[in-house]
Amino acid sequence: MAQLSDTIERFIKELMEEDAQIELKRNELAQHFGCAPSQINYVLATRFSVDHGYIIESRRGGGGFVRIVRMTHPGGSTLLDALLNRVGTEIDEESANAIIVLLFERKLITKNEAMLMRSAVAKNALALPVSAKNVLRAAVMRNMLSQVFRNLEEDSRHDV
């Protein structure tokens, strides 16, 4: 199953190499890969979420489609707003790490910054009950995200 999911993910990312958004028909994609539409849903939910830098829009029914939009960061606001919204008031360690990986893959942070951010949201760094950890982790993530994008704005102003 993981191998099929990887193949579907690669296929979609190749389609998106030149465009920031694509529209697909879930059933046609499932037929192409010889799988159930639920497998396509699984790939979209796990590999193309906000945590990974994508927004999924879909319409069901006969003329239904799935639109995958790669979030951009013109001036940072679109991506920052989406990430802050995703973090919300609490976030688990796995989701926080997925956001950090996204920032690193988009070259918005360095490897060292990513490692520092991961250590700041790690479960062993937050000596609290689980429910409180997720709330504190979200506050830490929101602060770090805001700082990353402030740094990007400052860097772009100094480049001019």
Side-chain angles (χ1 to χ4, degrees):
M1 180 130 140
Q3 189 175 29
L4 178 59
S5 295
D6 293 342
T7 303
I8 295 169
E9 177 188 15
R10 268 193 311 276
F11 178 80
I12 293 172
K13 285 185 174 178
E14 285 173 9
L15 290 175
M16 295 188 76
E17 280 182 359
E18 295 181 17
D19 295 319
Q21 87 175 27
I22 59 170
E23 282 187 17
L24 304 167
K25 295 207 179 260
R26 190 182 342 259
N27 288 338
E28 289 177 9
L29 204 53
Q31 283 179 338
H32 177 79
F33 287 102
C35 65
S38 61
Q39 179 69 35
I40 303 302
N41 290 341
Y42 170 79
V43 172
L44 294 175
T46 60
R47 314 279 177 101
F48 293 91
S49 65
V50 171
D51 294 351
H52 294 96
Y54 298 91
I55 297 172
I56 303 292
E57 303 169 3
S58 66
R59 188 176 73 208
R60 297 192 183 268
F65 66 88
V66 175
R67 179 179 297 130
I68 305 169
V69 180
R70 184 181 321 115
M71 293 187 289
T72 57
H73 53 89
S77 62
T78 304
L79 182 56
L80 175 60
D81 292 341
L83 292 175
L84 289 173
N85 187 44
R86 169 59 188 97
V87 170
T89 57
E90 46 183 286
I91 190 168
D92 61 39
E93 184 178 3
E94 184 179 340
S95 297
N97 283 327
I99 292 171
I100 294 166
V101 168
L102 166 71
L103 295 172
F104 176 71
E105 287 175 347
R106 296 274 181 100
K107 296 180 177 24
L108 301 175
I109 59 174
T110 65
K111 183 178 180 180
N112 284 341
E113 290 167 334
M115 291 185 333
L116 285 169
M117 290 174 78
R118 287 182 74 143
S119 68
V121 298
K123 64 179 168 238
N124 62 350
L126 308 171
L128 297 167
V130 173
S131 60
K133 282 184 183 188
N134 290 344
V135 172
L136 179 58
R137 185 179 291 114
V140 170
M141 278 298 296
R142 284 192 308 275
N143 283 336
M144 289 190 298
L145 286 168
S146 295
Q147 188 63 52
V148 165
F149 284 85
R150 265 194 303 271
N151 291 351
L152 290 171
E153 282 182 27
E154 284 182 22
D155 288 348
S156 68
R157 276 188 252 141
H158 294 298
D159 289 342
V160 177

